[in-house]
Amino acid sequence: MCLAIPGRITDRWVEPDGAIVAEIDFAGEARTAKLNFLPDLQVGDYVIVHAGFALTRVPADQVTQVMSAMQDAGVVGADGAIAHDARIGL
């Protein structure tokens, strides 16, 4: 089972092959993903990523609710960092 953690886009660029790529911060862990399915995403937007592609934009108010629920479940700590035993599949 996968756990979808919303990530915040911190940088975006276009590769020479036309791929739209972003650096995304997932609770303190930076990863890259392609934005080709959602090309209008900008720095500051929150997304759900699967298999290296941003698939869903998440409204900022929902991110707060999701992260609070994940803290309650012990998936992320009070500082927002992913719990060590939950670092699978990110």
Side-chain angles (χ1 to χ4, degrees):
M1 178 170 97
C2 291
L3 182 61
I5 296 174
R8 184 177 175 275
I9 297 174
T10 58
D11 194 11
R12 76 183 302 269
W13 62 93
V14 178
E15 295 284 329
D17 66 358
I20 305 167
V21 183
E23 180 173 282
I24 303 170
D25 176 33
F26 293 97
E29 292 194 26
R31 304 289 175 132
T32 58
K34 293 185 179 173
L35 304 181
N36 292 70
F37 294 131
L38 300 168
D40 294 335
L41 291 172
Q42 299 296 321
V43 170
D45 286 338
Y46 288 91
V47 295
I48 298 296
V49 173
H50 179 70
F53 289 88
L55 298 179
T56 306
R57 181 184 177 280
V58 181
D61 61 329
Q62 288 183 6
V63 171
T64 303
Q65 293 174 335
V66 168
M67 295 307 284
S68 177
M70 287 185 171
Q71 285 177 357
D72 292 345
V75 176
V76 296
D79 61 354
I82 300 169
H84 177 59
D85 57 349
R87 291 181 187 263
I88 54 174
L90 181 65

